[in-house]
Amino acid sequence: MAINSCCCYVFAYSSIGLGLSIAKVAGVGHHVKTSITGVVVGVDVSESEKVWKSFQAIGDIAFAYAYSTVLIEIQDTLRSSPPENKVMKRASLAGVSTTTLFYILCGTIGYAAFGNKAPGNFLTGFGFYEPFWLIDLANICIAIHLIGAYQVFCQPLYGFVEARCSQRWPDSKFINSEHVVQVPCCGAKYSVNLFRLVWRTAYVVVTAVIAMIFPFFNDFLGLIGAASFYPLTVYFPIEMHIAQRKIPKYSFTWVWLKILSWTCLIVSLVAAAGSIKGLATDVKHYKPFSTQQ
C-alpha cells in the first residue's frame, strides 16, 4: 500500500514537472542556450569540471535504478499464487520501463526548457516560479513521496540492527520486551518496543540533522547510487544467477555476464569519483543549514 501510494505521488510531481517544461518550451519568446553536448567547455565550465559533473550524473542515474534494496520487501507482500518470481518479472519490467520513459522525457524536455542553466531539480531548484499553487502541489507530492520512501528504504537497516542487538543481548528487557499500548477513544491496541522506538527515532533525527547541515542533494544522490548500484543491483544478482543456473565457467553466457558485471563496476567507480569530487568542491564554499543546488 505504501509503495503504491509513493508511485502515485512520483507520477503526480513528475507529470507536473514535465507539463510545466512543455509549457515553457512552447511559450512565446522562449530562447535558451542548448547544445547536443550540453554545457560548453570554456564558457560554462572547465574541461575537468565537465568530466567530473558527467561522472556525478552517472551516479544520479545509478541511484534511480538501485531499487534492489526494496525488491525483497515488495516480494514479501505478494501472494504465493501466481508464483512471486513471475509477478516480480512483470512488475519490474513495467516499473523500469515507465520510470525510464519519465526520466528521459524530464531530462530532454527539461533541458530544452532551461538549457545549460538547468537546475539540479527544476521543481525544488527554482526552475519554475509560477503557477505557484501547482508548484506547491508538486513539492507537497515530493515531500510525501520522500517520507514514505524513507521508511521503505530504511526497513532493511532497521531490521538488521534490531536483529543483531536482540542476538547480542537476548536477556535485555529494553531491547526485547513488547509493551501493549491502548489508544484512547478508538480502543485500538499497539505493540511498542522501547528500543525500537528510541533507535529509530534517533536514526531519523541524526540523518535529518546531517541532511540539513550538508544539503548537497545531487552529490549525495550520486554517491549513494554509486555505492549501492553495483553490489546490490548488479554483482549479487549476477553471481546468484550463475550459481542457481550452474552456468559453466568461461562459457559464452558466463563471459558476457562477467563483462556486464565489470562494466557496471567501472560505472560505479567513476560515478563515486565524480560525486566525491562534487562534495569536496561544495564543502569549500557552503554555509550550514542552507540550500545548495
Side-chain angles (χ1 to χ4, degrees), residues 132-286:
F132 295 107
W133 66 269
L134 188 58
I135 298 169
D136 289 340
L137 176 62
N139 286 323
I140 290 172
C141 291
I142 292 175
I144 296 175
H145 162 231
L146 293 180
I147 291 171
Y150 183 90
Q151 297 300 320
V152 173
F153 274 87
C154 285
Q155 288 305 315
L157 177 62
Y158 290 158
F160 173 77
V161 172
E162 289 158 13
R164 291 298 298 269
C165 290
S166 181
Q167 293 173 0
R168 180 67 176 81
W169 297 284
D171 299 325
S172 173
K173 293 183 178 180
F174 175 72
I175 295 176
N176 299 294
S177 296
E178 298 287 339
H179 304 275
V180 177
V181 177
Q182 185 170 357
V183 180
C185 300
C186 64
K189 295 182 179 181
Y190 294 94
S191 180
V192 177
N193 179 278
L194 294 179
F195 170 71
R196 187 165 58 240
L197 177 64
V198 172
W199 139 248
R200 295 190 180 192
T201 302
Y203 178 83
V204 171
V205 171
V206 170
T207 53
V209 171
I210 293 175
M212 289 187 291
I213 295 175
F214 303 104
F216 311 128
F217 184 73
N218 287 339
D219 293 320
F220 270 119
L221 278 189
L223 185 58
I224 294 172
S228 62
F229 175 72
Y230 175 72
L232 299 178
T233 307
V234 180
Y235 177 76
F236 285 119
I238 286 178
E239 293 301 317
M240 288 189 291
H241 177 73
I242 291 174
Q244 182 184 37
R245 297 298 178 89
K246 295 181 173 58
I247 298 176
K249 199 173 185 178
Y250 302 117
S251 64
F252 178 81
T253 303
W254 184 91
V255 169
W256 278 107
L257 286 174
K258 288 296 182 179
I259 291 175
L260 174 63
S261 180
W262 283 101
T263 301
C264 291
L265 174 60
I266 295 173
V267 168
S268 294
L269 290 176
V270 298
S275 298
I276 292 172
K277 172 64 176 178
L279 286 172
T281 302
D282 291 338
V283 166
K284 295 178 180 178
H285 55 77
Y286 91 106

Side-chain angles (χ1 to χ4, degrees), residues 108-120:
T108 53
I109 300 179
Y111 181 63
F114 298 104
N116 294 342
K117 301 298 181 181

